[in-house]
């Protein structure tokens, strides 16, 4: 069967364009090279980022599916395009952390690199206008952003992705510091993992040198940004 084709653009995110397709249950992601940080206060482009993030995300989603972690991925269509199930996005992002960095470092005063005794799952309210504030499960239930059963699925999936990704990257000499996930509902109400999983949305450090191989190179002006994304793509074999 032929893959559905692009029709109208329905959304432009910071890193992707999203198109409706000839199949009402599917959308196409187009991965851009645009990069933003600090709620879009810092803007730039990372050469070939869209190509690398598309193939890295496709590989992770495929591997996750094979291990029973259901997600929206259907197939990679081209260098920059991915066909996925259409989801009604749940406005709750998870960040799962194994090692202290970024906002957790700021919030706790613990040094960057401090290894957590267990993984932590945090929730953030997906709202650019508010700067994606951190929230807890009581906010999520009270404001009706997700139901208890949905949140249980989200939490479990976040930990499953962590177990997979930590081991998969570990075997390739990379530490998984933390990562962000997004989820949505299919039209029958099933909660599915969506969005992307790539060096924009994860922190990856070289296990030996602790060199940052992710978007922190852009956020912190560390240089060699594209090379870091390339390094991740080649280590995972994407
Ligand atoms: P944080 O330490 O700044 O809270 O980021 C945690 C993780 O989430 C890190 O891997 C980067 C990712 N992230 C996003 O994907 N999008 C965002 O807007 C932010 C702030 C973080
Ligand atoms: N993507 C986010 C933004 O611009 C922030 C980040 O990844 O650091 O706002």
């Amino acid at each position: 069967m032929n893959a559905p084709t692009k029709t109208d653009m329905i959304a432009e995110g910071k890193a992707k364009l999203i198109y409706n397709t000839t199949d009402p249950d599917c959308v196409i992601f187009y991965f851009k090279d645009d990069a933003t940080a600090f709620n879009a206060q810092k803007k730039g482009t990372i050469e070939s980022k869209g190509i690398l993030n598309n193939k890295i995300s496709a590989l992770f989603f495929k591997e996750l599916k094979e291990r029973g972690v259901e997600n929206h991925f259907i197939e990679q269509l081209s260098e920059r395009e991915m066909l996925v199930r259409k989801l009604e996005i749940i406005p709750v992002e998870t960040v799962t952390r194994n090692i202290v960095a970024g906002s957790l470092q700021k919030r706790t005063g613990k040094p960057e690199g401090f290894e957590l005794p267990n993984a932590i799952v945090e929730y953030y309210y997906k709202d650019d206008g508010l700067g994606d504030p951190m929230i807890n499960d009581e906010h999520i239930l009270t404001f009706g952003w997700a139901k208890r059963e949905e949140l249980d699925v989200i939490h479990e999936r976040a930990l499953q992705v962590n177990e997979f990704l930590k081991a998969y990257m570990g075997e390739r000499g990379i530490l998984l510091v933390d990562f962000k996930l997004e989820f949505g509902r299919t039209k029958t109400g099933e909660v599915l993992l969506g969005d992307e999983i790539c060096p924009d949305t994860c922190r990856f450090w070289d296990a030996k040198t602790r060199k940052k191989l992710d978007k922190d190179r852009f956020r912190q002006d560390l240089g060699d940004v594209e090379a870091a994304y390339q390094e991740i793509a080649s280590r995972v074999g994407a």
Side-chain angles (χ1 to χ4, degrees), residues 8 12 64 95 106 120 126 146 200 226:
D8 50 311
E12 172 157 18
L64 283 165
V95 171
K106 290 207 187 81
I120 294 175
K126 185 175 162 60
D200 273 8
E226 190 204 334

Side-chain angles (χ1 to χ4, degrees), residues 95 97 101-104 124 132 178-180 200-203 219:
V95 171
R97 303 183 186 266
S103 69
L104 185 62
Y124 292 84
D132 296 347
D178 57 36
F179 60 96
K180 185 261 300 184
D200 273 8
T201 61
C202 304
R203 286 196 173 94
R219 294 188 189 100

Side-chain angles (χ1 to χ4, degrees), residues 11-221:
E12 172 157 18
K14 283 176 278 204
K16 294 190 289 296
L17 306 175
I18 304 176
Y19 293 89
N20 268 326
T21 71
T22 46
D23 181 336
D25 296 331
C26 299
V27 295
I28 289 175
F29 284 177
Y30 176 94
F31 287 77
K32 303 188 283 184
D33 289 343
D34 299 351
T36 62
F38 314 117
N39 204 19
Q41 287 176 60
K42 180 181 166 95
K43 288 189 178 139
T45 53
I46 301 171
E47 176 89 23
S48 304
K49 175 171 86 82
I51 297 170
L52 295 163
N53 282 353
N54 189 24
K55 61 182 181 181
I56 295 165
S57 287
L59 181 136
F60 288 152
F61 283 132
K62 258 186 260 173
E63 296 283 341
L64 283 165
K65 257 195 183 175
E66 278 169 22
R67 289 163 176 77
V69 184
E70 267 311 311
N71 60 71
H72 67 159
F73 180 76
I74 301 171
E75 65 175 311
Q76 191 181 336
L77 297 174
S78 68
E79 261 193 337
R80 290 180 184 271
E81 289 171 320
M82 177 189 284
L83 182 68
V84 298
R85 300 267 302 271
K86 188 172 196 167
L87 300 178
E88 175 206 347
I89 287 295
I90 294 170
V92 176
E93 302 181 350
T94 60
V95 171
T96 309
R97 303 183 186 266
N98 299 301
I99 297 175
V100 171
S103 69
L104 185 62
Q105 182 189 354
K106 290 207 187 81
R107 239 177 298 121
T108 60
K110 297 285 181 198
E112 183 180 72
F114 179 88
E115 286 188 31
L116 300 170
N118 49 266
I120 294 175
V121 179
E122 299 171 341
Y123 302 114
Y124 292 84
Y125 180 41
K126 185 175 162 60
D127 185 313
D128 282 340
L130 299 175
D132 296 347
M134 190 161 93
I135 50 174
N136 68 24
D137 51 354
E138 297 197 22
H139 298 111
I140 296 168
L141 301 176
T142 302
F143 290 105
W145 294 321
K147 298 198 186 79
R148 178 81 260 168
E149 313 81 76
E150 293 176 325
L151 200 52
D152 290 344
V153 172
I154 289 170
H155 188 268
E156 193 189 351
R157 292 276 158 81
L159 291 176
Q160 285 171 338
V161 174
N162 189 47
E163 284 313 304
F164 157 70
L165 209 53
K166 202 167 70 169
Y168 193 85
M169 299 312 281
E171 286 162 15
R172 289 154 180 85
I174 306 278
L175 291 173
L176 175 66
V177 175
D178 57 36
F179 60 96
K180 185 261 300 184
L181 298 177
E182 296 188 24
F183 298 84
R185 303 176 185 95
T186 64
K187 72 176 182 207
T188 58
E190 186 192 358
V191 172
L192 278 188
L193 172 62
D195 197 46
E196 57 188 304
I197 307 176
C198 62
D200 273 8
T201 61
C202 304
R203 286 196 173 94
F204 295 128
W205 294 350
D206 182 276
K208 277 204 197 104
T209 64
R210 300 223 150 191
K211 182 175 177 182
K212 293 176 178 170
L213 297 172
D214 56 60
K215 195 173 163 191
D216 270 352
R217 302 204 71 80
F218 170 78
R219 294 188 189 100
Q220 300 170 9
D221 295 318

